[in-house]
Each structure stands twice: as C-alpha cells, then as structure tokens.
Amino acid sequence: MAQMQASNSEVLSLPTVLDWVRKYHPVARQAVLITERADAELTAARGAFDPVVGWDASRKTFDGKNYYNYSNPELQIPFAAPITLKTGLENTRGQFTNPEMGAGKLSYFGVEVPLGNGLIIDKRRAALQQAKLMKTMSVQDRLAQVNDLLLETYAAYWRWAGAWEINQLISQFAVNAANRLQLVRINWQNGDRSVMDTVEAFAQLQQIKLLQSEAAMKLNNMAIELSYFLWQADDQPVRLDDTLQPEIALFRGRAINAPLEELLATALDNNPMLNAAALKVSSMEIDKKLKFQQLLPYFSLKANVLNNNYSVFSGWESGFLQNNNRWGVGFSMPLFFRQGRGEYKRAQIKLKESNIELSAKRWQTENKIRYYYTEFTRNWDQLQITDQIQSNLRQLLKNEELRFSQGESSLFLVNSREMKWLESLQKQTELRVKYLIAAYQVQWAAGTLR
C-alpha cells in the first residue's frame, strides 16, 4: 500500500484528490467499461445487417449412375430498409436432375420485401435502434456513477478537512491551558493564588486533552475514510500520509452555486439519471412499434431475374425480364392474434411505466435540488451568525481573563468562558463541513459533478 504524498508544502489539495479519483478509482474505471460494453453490443446489432455468403451443394450417385450434382453459392445483402438483395449461381448436372431446376449453369439476382409485418420495423432494425440508444444510455450511466462517486469524494475530503481544523483548534487550546496552568502554579508559589486554582487549571487542561485525544482519533478515521477513494494506476490503494493537511483556505472560503432556477433548468437537460430515464422511454417506444407489427399479417414479395451461365446482368434486351424471372409471395396470419395482442398490451404497459418513472424522477430531482439548495443557503446564513457569536464569546473570555488578573473573577469562570468558546468553534467548524457538503449536494442533485 502506497502513501499519498502532497506536491505543495504537504498540502493535499482538493483538485489533486479529484484528479486521482477520476483516473484511478475502480468505480470510475468500471464506468468506462459500461460504454465499451455498449459499443460491443452496438457492433453485434449491426452484425444483423452484414452480407452473408452461403453455399449449398448436394450430389447423388446410385448404381453407377450420376443422378444429379447441384451447387449454389449465394450472397445475401440486408439493408436498413426492409429489403434483402440476393444473388447467386446455380450449377446443375446429372442424368436425373429436377426439371424445375433445369440443367447447366444459371445465375440469378433478386429482392425480398415484406409488405405487412416487418415493413415499418422488424427485430433487426429494432435491435439496432435500441443498441444505439443503449450506447447513449451507457454514457449517461457512466456520468451518473461519476456524479455519485465525486459527491462521496467531496464529502470525505471536507469531513477530513473539518476534523483537521478541529484537531488544530483543540491543540491550540491545550497549549493555552498548559501555559495558564504554569502561570497559576507560579502565582501559587508566590502566594498570589490558592492551591484550588492550580487544581482548577489542571482539571481544565485534562478536559481539553481528552477532547484533543478524541479529535485526533476522529482525524485519523476521516483520513482513512478519504483513503478509500485514493488508488494508483496499478489498482493499488493509497494511504494518506500523516503529515498531509487539507487546503484550509478553500475550507474556510465561500462556496458558489448558480441560482436555483438555473440549476433546475440545467438538471432537466444534463442530469444523467433523467437522460437515462428518457432514453428508456424511447427504447420502450421502439419496442411498442415492434410489437404492433405482430398484429399485422405476414406478407412478402420475392422477385428474381434469371440468366444463363454466370453473368446475370448480360443480355438484358427488350422483353428479357418478362421471360426470365422467378417470383412468389408468402402469406401467414394467426387466426386470433392472441400473442400479438398480448405482446402489444405488455409493451404499452411498459411504456406507461417508463413515462411514470421519468415523471417521478424529474419531480424527485427537482425536490432534491430545492432541499439541498435551501440547506446550502441556510447553512451560510447560520455561519454568518456563528461569526458574530465567536466575536462575542471571545470578547467575553478576554474580559473575564482581565477581571481574573485583577482579582475580580475566578478561574472557574475563565475556564467556563473558554469552554463555551471552544464548543462554539467546534460547532462552527462542523457547520462549515455541512455547508460545503451541501454546496456539492446541490450540484450532485442537478447531475453536474464531472
């Protein structure tokens, strides 16, 4: 397991973390495979329209007689339109050949067109259209996974930054408490303070050291949580070095989000979850069109141009097509259409379900954006209030320390003022973590984290 090293004065910046996550995190790398798999499926669907070369050959010899020797190489060329072209060569020899086949060499060129079931759409074309939609949907699925992954990364980074800030804060209070204890002991030795003041100062130091131990443990846990998102190119996990620190200037700054209405409009266009749901509706519409074809009878027309030898296109003179052709029709129709009616009804239901799902996701997305945007703005307002509270509590502490130095107050009141201030600073830091996470939850709900 490697250790994560900072590139700038032991500061692990947020852009550096995000860059590592986008490049090397297993979820991000697996998300790329979603698109590659969709490409493979699209290639497979296009394979239904590949030209096909076939060869049919048979021979019969009995009692020393060559009954027949037949060979028929053929090329079939399907198109995206409901047309299949066929061309081939027939070579028939023997003493007892089929009179219908004739003897000698024959070439043909023909076309087959469905005029009922399969004219508008068939399974091949439906599979190709849906494969194209699946490829586009795979891109949206990949973006949705990255969107979720980056939100988790942002949250882990800010929790780590908040834990680091609280740990630094309590460590500074511990230094202050130790200095105060030393000063009180000197005053006690000089006879200016009672022994109970030293006990009071020592108890304060112990209480702060206990908080310091808890803060250090939480900082370690948050560093481990952030390490879950850090990987190397060789699929090896990365452990954060203990000397690393977060980008505090960014932690203490103000996050910026677009106006609410702009976020709502952006989500309707760019949210990958909504785009994937809309593509699912389109896929269900294709399936509905395909199932409707089963309510139509099957009717196809086949027409072939025939010619002697192996040159089907030579000698096309006036009247040639009328005298050298083979054509036919195919027709079939179920009497009750129960399978067709059932499949079409099921396709209609699936389409309705997809539309309902899309509407629900749109409403859910809008509500999430409004919820997190309200939390984001309210947290910022609360942070402004906590700034005023910090200023007041700090002033009260300074005033209590001044009164204590003049003999007008007790160390108990000083310690109480100090613990109130420390508690308020901790809550402010925790609120700042919530504020920063909410800022990215708004973008996550809009589906714009990339």
Side-chain angles (χ1 to χ4, degrees):
M1 178 183 292
Q3 287 188 339
M4 183 74 170
Q5 299 292 336
S7 58
N8 183 20
S9 302
E10 297 186 342
V11 174
L12 179 59
S13 67
L14 180 59
T16 299
V17 172
L18 296 176
D19 185 58
W20 275 59
V21 170
R22 293 187 187 101
K23 288 181 178 178
Y24 307 127
H25 194 278
V27 173
R29 299 177 70 176
Q30 289 173 353
V32 176
L33 297 178
I34 296 176
T35 306
E36 294 181 0
R37 183 170 63 248
D39 286 336
E41 292 175 354
L42 178 58
T43 301
R46 284 174 173 161
F49 298 90
D50 288 346
V52 178
V53 176
W55 184 54
D56 180 23
S58 59
R59 179 178 181 179
K60 180 179 179 180
T61 302
F62 181 72
D63 196 20
K65 299 178 183 179
N66 180 17
Y67 274 64
Y68 61 83
N69 190 342
Y70 174 78
S71 64
N72 174 213
E74 183 180 71
L75 173 65
Q76 296 186 17
I77 306 176
F79 289 89
I83 298 175
T84 301
L85 297 182
K86 296 182 179 180
T87 183
L89 310 172
E90 291 182 346
N91 189 356
T92 307
R93 298 180 305 229
Q95 295 177 294
F96 304 101
T97 59
N98 188 343
E100 179 184 350
M101 303 298 296
K105 300 175 181 179
L106 176 71
S107 57
Y108 62 90
F109 177 81
V111 61
E112 182 176 355
V113 182
L115 299 178
N117 187 344
L119 177 62
I120 303 300
I121 193 171
D122 55 23
K123 291 183 178 180
R124 292 184 308 175
R125 284 176 284 164
L128 179 59
Q129 293 177 23
Q130 289 179 328
K132 290 179 179 178
L133 287 177
M134 290 299 296
K135 179 179 179 181
T136 306
M137 191 182 299
S138 70
V139 175
Q140 301 303 317
D141 290 340
R142 178 176 62 83
L143 292 177
Q145 289 193 15
V146 172
N147 189 48
D148 293 342
L149 176 62
L150 291 184
L151 174 62
E152 295 175 1
T153 305
Y154 278 117
Y157 184 88
W158 292 130
R159 283 193 288 265
W160 174 60
W164 187 91
E165 180 83 346
I166 290 176
N167 184 67
Q168 293 294 111
L169 178 69
I170 296 179
S171 297
Q172 184 59 48
F173 271 75
V175 172
N176 294 340
N179 293 336
R180 183 183 294 115
L181 174 61
Q182 184 178 7
L183 181 60
V184 170
R185 281 176 173 173
I186 293 175
N187 290 336
W188 168 68
Q189 292 171 354
N190 294 334
D192 296 333
R193 296 290 178 189
S194 68
V195 67
M196 296 308 298
D197 285 339
T198 63
V199 175
E200 181 74 29
F202 183 66
Q204 178 78 346
L205 177 60
Q206 286 181 312
Q207 186 175 2
I208 293 178
K209 281 187 173 295
L210 179 61
L211 294 176
Q212 186 180 24
S213 176
E214 293 176 353
M217 181 177 63
K218 185 174 182 180
L219 175 60
N220 181 70
N221 292 340
M222 293 301 100
I224 293 175
E225 180 182 337
L226 181 59
S227 297
Y228 293 158
F229 299 93
L230 302 177
W231 295 76
Q232 294 183 5
D234 56 356
D235 294 331
Q236 293 298 316
V238 176
R239 181 174 61 84
L240 286 183
D241 191 274
D242 295 336
T243 61
L244 293 177
Q245 69 180 54
E247 197 171 1
I248 294 303
L250 188 61
F251 176 75
R252 296 172 182 170
R254 180 174 183 179
I256 303 298
N257 261 321
L260 177 59
E261 297 303 323
E262 182 178 335
L263 286 167
L264 292 173
T266 300
L268 293 178
D269 295 331
N270 298 324
N271 189 294
M273 183 181 66
L274 296 182
N275 290 340
L279 289 169
K280 183 179 179 181
V281 171
S282 299
S283 179
M284 292 298 100
E285 290 175 345
I286 294 174
D287 188 60
K288 177 186 172 183
K289 291 179 182 179
L290 178 62
K291 294 301 187 289
F292 179 77
Q293 295 295 296
Q294 296 183 8
L295 297 176
L296 303 176
Y298 175 78
F299 181 79
S300 66
L301 173 64
K302 303 177 183 179
N304 292 273
V305 178
L306 308 177
N307 207 341
N308 292 319
N309 298 319
Y310 291 159
S311 181
V312 69
F313 296 107
S314 65
W316 284 23
E317 300 174 354
S318 176
F320 178 83
L321 297 179
Q322 297 178 1
N323 299 318
N324 298 273
N325 63 74
R326 180 173 60 201
W327 68 275
V329 295
F331 177 82
S332 65
M333 181 183 71
L335 294 180
F336 301 112
F337 286 102
R338 283 184 290 193
Q339 180 180 2
R341 287 186 286 115
E343 293 288 346
Y344 183 65
K345 184 65 176 180
R346 185 166 59 182
Q348 286 180 310
I349 294 173
K350 287 184 178 180
L351 179 58
K352 289 181 180 179
E353 290 176 343
S354 299
N355 277 308
I356 293 173
E357 181 182 357
L358 176 59
S359 298
K361 286 185 176 181
R362 283 175 175 169
W363 180 239
Q364 182 183 39
T365 299
E366 181 179 342
N367 285 335
K368 283 183 178 180
I369 294 174
R370 293 184 184 277
Y371 174 85
Y372 290 124
Y373 195 86
T374 300
E375 183 177 354
F376 165 68
T377 54
R378 292 295 179 266
N379 285 342
W380 175 251
D381 293 340
Q382 292 174 17
L383 282 173
Q384 306 310 300
I385 297 175
T386 58
D387 285 340
Q388 299 174 7
I389 294 175
Q390 301 312 318
S391 178
N392 294 334
L393 291 176
R394 183 179 181 183
Q395 186 63 37
L396 288 172
L397 175 60
K398 285 185 176 181
N399 183 66
E400 204 67 49
E401 288 175 335
L402 178 60
R403 292 180 62 199
F404 176 71
S405 65
Q406 295 174 350
E408 299 178 359
S409 182
S410 66
L411 187 58
F412 173 77
L413 291 177
V414 172
N415 289 344
S416 297
R417 296 288 188 189
E418 186 177 54
M419 292 305 293
K420 284 282 187 181
W421 186 32
L422 174 57
E423 181 182 350
S424 180
L425 287 172
Q426 285 182 272
K427 290 183 177 179
Q428 184 186 46
T429 303
E430 292 170 355
L431 180 60
R432 181 165 292 278
V433 172
K434 292 181 180 179
Y435 162 72
L436 291 171
I437 292 177
Y440 290 98
Q441 284 174 326
V442 172
Q443 300 179 40
W444 167 80
T448 57
L449 293 181
R450 298 291 187 269

